[in-house]
Amino acid sequence: MPIMSFGSQNINIITNKEAMTIRKLWKNPLKKGDRLHCYWNLVSKEKKKIFEAEVTDVKTIPFKDIKNNNKLAQEEGYSNAKEMVKEFKKMYLNKISDDDLFQIIYFRKLDIDKWKGEKIDQKEMITQRADILFDSGKYDKSAMCYTAALKIDPEDVYILNKKGDNLSRLGNFKEAIECYDKALEIEKDNEYIWNNKAIAMLNSGNIKEALIANNEAMKSNPENAVVLYWRGFILEINNQFDEALETYNKLLEIDKNNPEVWNARGNLLTDMERLEEALESYDKALELCLKDSKLVDATALNRKGNALLDLGRFKEALDCYDQAIELEPRNTSFILNKGVVLMELEQFTDAEILFTKVLAIDPSNDDAKVLKIECLENM
């Protein structure tokens, strides 16, 4: 029973009805008519059977005839022959010589009712693999898997939405929006897909269309916390500050213990120059974060420090920046802000040391260069 293993680069092989693959000649060479039992990542914990196939043809050739063959490499799922050879060297630990024999194996996938072994749901298997890749940030590979799953079922709303999310993270917003639109043709009232479309529109710079998509999400469910959060952000970007604040306030009525919302509200109030209210929001966000040490946010501490700095409350600002720097010691923005406060307190020697530290981390930081000179002039 010949067994083969395939990986993410072979997704087209996995989904095509007929395909080919290249393997080093086995002790018992494959021949036409052999049945293949094919697995995903056979030697890993993610091992899964993906299909059974019948060998339709086999060609045996030396390595020297395939190592520079880009066409064969691309059929196998690689970008070029160089990438394929690099992978072969990982697969076959002994050195590969030009005279080593390889088989080009052509096969036809069998319908599941003709399998001799266990049966599987191929769409579910590929989608599950795509989700794992997506969650681990391997967006290029997960995009290929979602595309493959859609070949099996082009109207699966979950997969269309996930492919859209995937493409958004790759910066392919136009294609992502096409996926969301296709999903919305099937489920026109799905608030999550409308919201995802709004985010893609926002990231592509189309704020007007982002708000229209968010409005559609709100029609479906005006109490959805995720939709409301993004609505507030979109309105803020569109300079509709009062409407954005109203949205954040409504969201806090639904969930008053969400530090991200209190943070967003604080940022908005800062932009509206309502600094005392902004501080109250930042304090609430930090209070909620401190209940769970894993949630303590250096950026939130820095923002609170900025609000205190604008209010002239320098010692309190200094305390915030110290806490932020303790969490992120090499964050040049935090160090720079602390230096500015020290200058306001006329502690020019200590401030100059901080600006020197910033330049050690980032020699091209123009702000640090200018502020360092100003400190030296006042020392």
Side-chain angles (χ1 to χ4, degrees), residues 1-15:
M1 182 182 73
I3 294 175
M4 280 194 176
S5 178
F6 293 95
S8 298
Q9 78 277 6
N10 305 121
I11 192 67
N12 288 330
I13 294 175
I14 293 167
T15 55

mmCIF file with all atom_site columns, all heavy atoms in Angstrom, residues 1-15:
data_model
loop_
_atom_site.group_PDB
_atom_site.id
_atom_site.type_symbol
_atom_site.label_atom_id
_atom_site.label_alt_id
_atom_site.label_comp_id
_atom_site.label_asym_id
_atom_site.label_entity_id
_atom_site.label_seq_id
_atom_site.pdbx_PDB_ins_code
_atom_site.Cartn_x
_atom_site.Cartn_y
_atom_site.Cartn_z
_atom_site.occupancy
_atom_site.B_iso_or_equiv
_atom_site.pdbx_formal_charge
_atom_site.auth_seq_id
_atom_site.auth_comp_id
_atom_site.auth_asym_id
_atom_site.auth_atom_id
_atom_site.pdbx_PDB_model_num
ATOM 1   N N   . MET A 1 1  ? 0.850  -1.188 0.000  1.00 0.00 ? 1  MET A N   1
ATOM 2   C CA  . MET A 1 1  ? 0.000  0.000  0.000  1.00 0.00 ? 1  MET A CA  1
ATOM 3   C C   . MET A 1 1  ? 0.891  1.246  0.000  1.00 0.00 ? 1  MET A C   1
ATOM 4   O O   . MET A 1 1  ? 1.321  1.702  1.053  1.00 0.00 ? 1  MET A O   1
ATOM 5   C CB  . MET A 1 1  ? -0.916 0.009  1.226  1.00 0.00 ? 1  MET A CB  1
ATOM 6   C CG  . MET A 1 1  ? -1.875 1.201  1.256  1.00 0.00 ? 1  MET A CG  1
ATOM 7   S SD  . MET A 1 1  ? -2.920 1.238  2.726  1.00 0.00 ? 1  MET A SD  1
ATOM 8   C CE  . MET A 1 1  ? -1.734 1.735  3.992  1.00 0.00 ? 1  MET A CE  1
ATOM 9   N N   . PRO A 1 2  ? 1.245  1.812  -1.174 1.00 0.00 ? 2  PRO A N   1
ATOM 10  C CA  . PRO A 1 2  ? 2.088  3.005  -1.215 1.00 0.00 ? 2  PRO A CA  1
ATOM 11  C C   . PRO A 1 2  ? 1.421  4.182  -0.509 1.00 0.00 ? 2  PRO A C   1
ATOM 12  O O   . PRO A 1 2  ? 0.251  4.477  -0.735 1.00 0.00 ? 2  PRO A O   1
ATOM 13  C CB  . PRO A 1 2  ? 2.243  3.277  -2.713 1.00 0.00 ? 2  PRO A CB  1
ATOM 14  C CG  . PRO A 1 2  ? 1.920  1.991  -3.383 1.00 0.00 ? 2  PRO A CG  1
ATOM 15  C CD  . PRO A 1 2  ? 0.893  1.342  -2.507 1.00 0.00 ? 2  PRO A CD  1
ATOM 16  N N   . ILE A 1 3  ? 2.210  4.860  0.351  1.00 0.00 ? 3  ILE A N   1
ATOM 17  C CA  . ILE A 1 3  ? 1.717  6.019  1.097  1.00 0.00 ? 3  ILE A CA  1
ATOM 18  C C   . ILE A 1 3  ? 2.526  7.236  0.682  1.00 0.00 ? 3  ILE A C   1
ATOM 19  O O   . ILE A 1 3  ? 3.752  7.175  0.568  1.00 0.00 ? 3  ILE A O   1
ATOM 20  C CB  . ILE A 1 3  ? 1.849  5.785  2.619  1.00 0.00 ? 3  ILE A CB  1
ATOM 21  C CG1 . ILE A 1 3  ? 0.929  4.648  3.054  1.00 0.00 ? 3  ILE A CG1 1
ATOM 22  C CG2 . ILE A 1 3  ? 1.530  7.057  3.388  1.00 0.00 ? 3  ILE A CG2 1
ATOM 23  C CD1 . ILE A 1 3  ? 1.087  4.274  4.508  1.00 0.00 ? 3  ILE A CD1 1
ATOM 24  N N   . MET A 1 4  ? 1.841  8.352  0.464  1.00 0.00 ? 4  MET A N   1
ATOM 25  C CA  . MET A 1 4  ? 2.513  9.609  0.114  1.00 0.00 ? 4  MET A CA  1
ATOM 26  C C   . MET A 1 4  ? 2.107  10.708 1.079  1.00 0.00 ? 4  MET A C   1
ATOM 27  O O   . MET A 1 4  ? 0.982  10.715 1.574  1.00 0.00 ? 4  MET A O   1
ATOM 28  C CB  . MET A 1 4  ? 2.163  10.031 -1.314 1.00 0.00 ? 4  MET A CB  1
ATOM 29  C CG  . MET A 1 4  ? 2.949  9.296  -2.367 1.00 0.00 ? 4  MET A CG  1
ATOM 30  S SD  . MET A 1 4  ? 2.774  10.111 -3.963 1.00 0.00 ? 4  MET A SD  1
ATOM 31  C CE  . MET A 1 4  ? 3.880  9.097  -4.928 1.00 0.00 ? 4  MET A CE  1
ATOM 32  N N   . SER A 1 5  ? 3.013  11.665 1.274  1.00 0.00 ? 5  SER A N   1
ATOM 33  C CA  . SER A 1 5  ? 2.740  12.815 2.134  1.00 0.00 ? 5  SER A CA  1
ATOM 34  C C   . SER A 1 5  ? 2.804  14.084 1.300  1.00 0.00 ? 5  SER A C   1
ATOM 35  O O   . SER A 1 5  ? 3.677  14.231 0.434  1.00 0.00 ? 5  SER A O   1
ATOM 36  C CB  . SER A 1 5  ? 3.770  12.891 3.261  1.00 0.00 ? 5  SER A CB  1
ATOM 37  O OG  . SER A 1 5  ? 3.543  14.017 4.073  1.00 0.00 ? 5  SER A OG  1
ATOM 38  N N   . PHE A 1 6  ? 1.860  14.995 1.552  1.00 0.00 ? 6  PHE A N   1
ATOM 39  C CA  . PHE A 1 6  ? 1.835  16.297 0.877  1.00 0.00 ? 6  PHE A CA  1
ATOM 40  C C   . PHE A 1 6  ? 1.774  17.395 1.934  1.00 0.00 ? 6  PHE A C   1
ATOM 41  O O   . PHE A 1 6  ? 1.276  17.179 3.038  1.00 0.00 ? 6  PHE A O   1
ATOM 42  C CB  . PHE A 1 6  ? 0.623  16.405 -0.056 1.00 0.00 ? 6  PHE A CB  1
ATOM 43  C CG  . PHE A 1 6  ? 0.684  15.459 -1.228 1.00 0.00 ? 6  PHE A CG  1
ATOM 44  C CD1 . PHE A 1 6  ? 0.053  14.221 -1.177 1.00 0.00 ? 6  PHE A CD1 1
ATOM 45  C CD2 . PHE A 1 6  ? 1.369  15.806 -2.374 1.00 0.00 ? 6  PHE A CD2 1
ATOM 46  C CE1 . PHE A 1 6  ? 0.118  13.352 -2.253 1.00 0.00 ? 6  PHE A CE1 1
ATOM 47  C CE2 . PHE A 1 6  ? 1.431  14.945 -3.459 1.00 0.00 ? 6  PHE A CE2 1
ATOM 48  C CZ  . PHE A 1 6  ? 0.799  13.705 -3.398 1.00 0.00 ? 6  PHE A CZ  1
ATOM 49  N N   . GLY A 1 7  ? 2.266  18.587 1.556  1.00 0.00 ? 7  GLY A N   1
ATOM 50  C CA  . GLY A 1 7  ? 2.227  19.737 2.459  1.00 0.00 ? 7  GLY A CA  1
ATOM 51  C C   . GLY A 1 7  ? 1.488  20.896 1.837  1.00 0.00 ? 7  GLY A C   1
ATOM 52  O O   . GLY A 1 7  ? 0.854  20.769 0.782  1.00 0.00 ? 7  GLY A O   1
ATOM 53  N N   . SER A 1 8  ? 1.590  22.062 2.487  1.00 0.00 ? 8  SER A N   1
ATOM 54  C CA  . SER A 1 8  ? 0.827  23.235 2.046  1.00 0.00 ? 8  SER A CA  1
ATOM 55  C C   . SER A 1 8  ? 1.180  23.668 0.630  1.00 0.00 ? 8  SER A C   1
ATOM 56  O O   . SER A 1 8  ? 0.325  24.163 -0.108 1.00 0.00 ? 8  SER A O   1
ATOM 57  C CB  . SER A 1 8  ? 1.080  24.406 3.005  1.00 0.00 ? 8  SER A CB  1
ATOM 58  O OG  . SER A 1 8  ? 0.641  24.086 4.298  1.00 0.00 ? 8  SER A OG  1
ATOM 59  N N   . GLN A 1 9  ? 2.458  23.479 0.222  1.00 0.00 ? 9  GLN A N   1
ATOM 60  C CA  . GLN A 1 9  ? 2.843  23.909 -1.119 1.00 0.00 ? 9  GLN A CA  1
ATOM 61  C C   . GLN A 1 9  ? 2.173  23.064 -2.198 1.00 0.00 ? 9  GLN A C   1
ATOM 62  O O   . GLN A 1 9  ? 2.143  23.430 -3.378 1.00 0.00 ? 9  GLN A O   1
ATOM 63  C CB  . GLN A 1 9  ? 4.374  23.875 -1.298 1.00 0.00 ? 9  GLN A CB  1
ATOM 64  C CG  . GLN A 1 9  ? 4.961  22.494 -1.541 1.00 0.00 ? 9  GLN A CG  1
ATOM 65  C CD  . GLN A 1 9  ? 5.197  21.717 -0.254 1.00 0.00 ? 9  GLN A CD  1
ATOM 66  O OE1 . GLN A 1 9  ? 4.830  22.150 0.822  1.00 0.00 ? 9  GLN A OE1 1
ATOM 67  N NE2 . GLN A 1 9  ? 5.829  20.569 -0.379 1.00 0.00 ? 9  GLN A NE2 1
ATOM 68  N N   . ASN A 1 10 ? 1.619  21.916 -1.795 1.00 0.00 ? 10 ASN A N   1
ATOM 69  C CA  . ASN A 1 10 ? 0.993  21.000 -2.753 1.00 0.00 ? 10 ASN A CA  1
ATOM 70  C C   . ASN A 1 10 ? -0.517 21.155 -2.829 1.00 0.00 ? 10 ASN A C   1
ATOM 71  O O   . ASN A 1 10 ? -1.207 20.253 -3.301 1.00 0.00 ? 10 ASN A O   1
ATOM 72  C CB  . ASN A 1 10 ? 1.321  19.546 -2.370 1.00 0.00 ? 10 ASN A CB  1
ATOM 73  C CG  . ASN A 1 10 ? 2.802  19.266 -2.235 1.00 0.00 ? 10 ASN A CG  1
ATOM 74  O OD1 . ASN A 1 10 ? 3.256  18.865 -1.178 1.00 0.00 ? 10 ASN A OD1 1
ATOM 75  N ND2 . ASN A 1 10 ? 3.557  19.485 -3.298 1.00 0.00 ? 10 ASN A ND2 1
ATOM 76  N N   . ILE A 1 11 ? -1.047 22.313 -2.393 1.00 0.00 ? 11 ILE A N   1
ATOM 77  C CA  . ILE A 1 11 ? -2.499 22.454 -2.293 1.00 0.00 ? 11 ILE A CA  1
ATOM 78  C C   . ILE A 1 11 ? -3.191 22.246 -3.643 1.00 0.00 ? 11 ILE A C   1
ATOM 79  O O   . ILE A 1 11 ? -4.274 21.664 -3.712 1.00 0.00 ? 11 ILE A O   1
ATOM 80  C CB  . ILE A 1 11 ? -2.882 23.827 -1.677 1.00 0.00 ? 11 ILE A CB  1
ATOM 81  C CG1 . ILE A 1 11 ? -4.357 23.843 -1.310 1.00 0.00 ? 11 ILE A CG1 1
ATOM 82  C CG2 . ILE A 1 11 ? -2.509 24.970 -2.592 1.00 0.00 ? 11 ILE A CG2 1
ATOM 83  C CD1 . ILE A 1 11 ? -4.726 22.929 -0.198 1.00 0.00 ? 11 ILE A CD1 1
ATOM 84  N N   . ASN A 1 12 ? -2.563 22.675 -4.741 1.00 0.00 ? 12 ASN A N   1
ATOM 85  C CA  . ASN A 1 12 ? -3.179 22.461 -6.054 1.00 0.00 ? 12 ASN A CA  1
ATOM 86  C C   . ASN A 1 12 ? -3.221 20.983 -6.421 1.00 0.00 ? 12 ASN A C   1
ATOM 87  O O   . ASN A 1 12 ? -4.172 20.514 -7.040 1.00 0.00 ? 12 ASN A O   1
ATOM 88  C CB  . ASN A 1 12 ? -2.423 23.257 -7.132 1.00 0.00 ? 12 ASN A CB  1
ATOM 89  C CG  . ASN A 1 12 ? -2.682 24.741 -7.026 1.00 0.00 ? 12 ASN A CG  1
ATOM 90  O OD1 . ASN A 1 12 ? -3.751 25.152 -6.587 1.00 0.00 ? 12 ASN A OD1 1
ATOM 91  N ND2 . ASN A 1 12 ? -1.707 25.550 -7.399 1.00 0.00 ? 12 ASN A ND2 1
ATOM 92  N N   . ILE A 1 13 ? -2.186 20.255 -6.022 1.00 0.00 ? 13 ILE A N   1
ATOM 93  C CA  . ILE A 1 13 ? -2.177 18.808 -6.255 1.00 0.00 ? 13 ILE A CA  1
ATOM 94  C C   . ILE A 1 13 ? -3.315 18.161 -5.475 1.00 0.00 ? 13 ILE A C   1
ATOM 95  O O   . ILE A 1 13 ? -4.029 17.295 -5.976 1.00 0.00 ? 13 ILE A O   1
ATOM 96  C CB  . ILE A 1 13 ? -0.827 18.201 -5.818 1.00 0.00 ? 13 ILE A CB  1
ATOM 97  C CG1 . ILE A 1 13 ? 0.299  18.721 -6.716 1.00 0.00 ? 13 ILE A CG1 1
ATOM 98  C CG2 . ILE A 1 13 ? -0.876 16.680 -5.857 1.00 0.00 ? 13 ILE A CG2 1
ATOM 99  C CD1 . ILE A 1 13 ? 1.682  18.271 -6.275 1.00 0.00 ? 13 ILE A CD1 1
ATOM 100 N N   . ILE A 1 14 ? -3.510 18.627 -4.252 1.00 0.00 ? 14 ILE A N   1
ATOM 101 C CA  . ILE A 1 14 ? -4.521 18.032 -3.379 1.00 0.00 ? 14 ILE A CA  1
ATOM 102 C C   . ILE A 1 14 ? -5.928 18.238 -3.933 1.00 0.00 ? 14 ILE A C   1
ATOM 103 O O   . ILE A 1 14 ? -6.793 17.375 -3.816 1.00 0.00 ? 14 ILE A O   1
ATOM 104 C CB  . ILE A 1 14 ? -4.397 18.633 -1.961 1.00 0.00 ? 14 ILE A CB  1
ATOM 105 C CG1 . ILE A 1 14 ? -3.069 18.181 -1.332 1.00 0.00 ? 14 ILE A CG1 1
ATOM 106 C CG2 . ILE A 1 14 ? -5.570 18.228 -1.075 1.00 0.00 ? 14 ILE A CG2 1
ATOM 107 C CD1 . ILE A 1 14 ? -2.688 18.946 -0.085 1.00 0.00 ? 14 ILE A CD1 1
ATOM 108 N N   . THR A 1 15 ? -6.153 19.392 -4.562 1.00 0.00 ? 15 THR A N   1
ATOM 109 C CA  . THR A 1 15 ? -7.521 19.710 -4.990 1.00 0.00 ? 15 THR A CA  1
ATOM 110 C C   . THR A 1 15 ? -7.807 19.357 -6.444 1.00 0.00 ? 15 THR A C   1
ATOM 111 O O   . THR A 1 15 ? -8.969 19.259 -6.824 1.00 0.00 ? 15 THR A O   1
ATOM 112 C CB  . THR A 1 15 ? -7.791 21.214 -4.786 1.00 0.00 ? 15 THR A CB  1
ATOM 113 O OG1 . THR A 1 15 ? -6.786 21.961 -5.468 1.00 0.00 ? 15 THR A OG1 1
ATOM 114 C CG2 . THR A 1 15 ? -7.766 21.574 -3.316 1.00 0.00 ? 15 THR A CG2 1
#
